[in-house]
């Protein structure tokens, strides 16, 4: 749960902690992702709450399950760049740390519509010493 991750940050000695993660239901939204990206740029440790299908193939990323819920935490490992043109936001590939390796989101390394990413994004928890 996001509250568990928040407690772990505090237990690790982070003096400032921001918890903007949903409890597993509903997308995180554009403003939420923008805030996570901004904190990362300001040297905060940022952990994203996602559905693991976001790390899959094009078909998996664009799909939804019976219940669209979170099931995986990943560490943000690079900047997130979003380009908006005519109200269509594209998220350029960025890196996360997952399952003991660096993974590109999306894995095929091409821009992804934000609306598609948001199907599997549920917010973040961030900390700074």
């Amino acid at each position: 749960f996001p509250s568990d991750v928040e407690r772990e940050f505090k237990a690790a000695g982070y003096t400032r902690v921001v918890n903007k993660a949903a409890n597993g239901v509903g997308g995180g939204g554009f403003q939420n992702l923008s805030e996570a990206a901004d904190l990362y740029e300001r040297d905060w440790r940022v952990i994203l709450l996602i559905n693991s299908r976001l790390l899959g193939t094009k078909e998996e990323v664009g799909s939804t399950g019976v219940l669209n819920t979170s099931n995986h935490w990943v560490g943000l490992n690079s900047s997130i760049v979003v380009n908006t043109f005519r109200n269509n936001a594209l998220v350029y590939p960025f890196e996360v740390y997952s399952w003991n390796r660096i993974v590109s989101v999306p894995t095929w390394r091409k821009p992804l519509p934000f609306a598609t990413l948001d199907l599997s994004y549920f917010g973040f928890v961030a900390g700074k010493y």
Side-chain angles (χ1 to χ4, degrees):
F1 292 105
S3 58
D4 295 328
V5 174
E6 181 180 355
R7 276 193 298 277
E8 291 299 320
F9 268 97
K10 290 175 181 175
Y14 287 86
T15 56
R16 294 184 283 171
V17 178
V18 174
N19 181 349
K20 296 275 182 101
N23 279 321
V25 181
F30 186 81
Q31 289 302 109
N32 185 290
L33 182 67
S34 295
E35 186 176 352
D38 180 59
L39 290 173
Y40 178 83
E41 289 295 322
R42 292 189 289 141
D43 294 324
W44 286 58
R45 176 73 170 126
V46 179
I47 309 295
L48 307 177
L49 180 58
I50 65 169
N51 184 288
S52 59
R53 75 175 154 262
L54 188 59
L55 307 177
T57 65
K58 283 184 184 182
E59 292 77 23
E60 292 168 323
V61 170
S63 70
T64 59
V66 175
L67 291 173
N68 194 28
T69 61
S70 62
N71 65 2
H72 191 55
W73 290 94
V74 295
L76 185 56
N77 207 55
S78 73
S79 299
I80 298 175
V81 175
V82 180
N83 188 356
T84 304
F85 181 72
R86 294 187 180 169
N87 294 325
N88 293 318
L90 286 177
V91 180
Y92 285 78
F94 61 94
E95 293 181 342
V96 297
Y97 186 80
S98 176
W99 296 309
N100 203 32
R101 63 188 172 99
I102 303 297
V103 181
S104 178
V105 176
T107 57
W108 57 93
R109 300 178 190 271
K110 300 282 185 193
L112 180 69
F114 173 77
T116 301
L117 182 138
D118 201 39
L119 292 172
S120 297
Y121 173 69
F122 298 90
F124 71 92
V125 176
K128 186 162 178 103
Y129 285 110

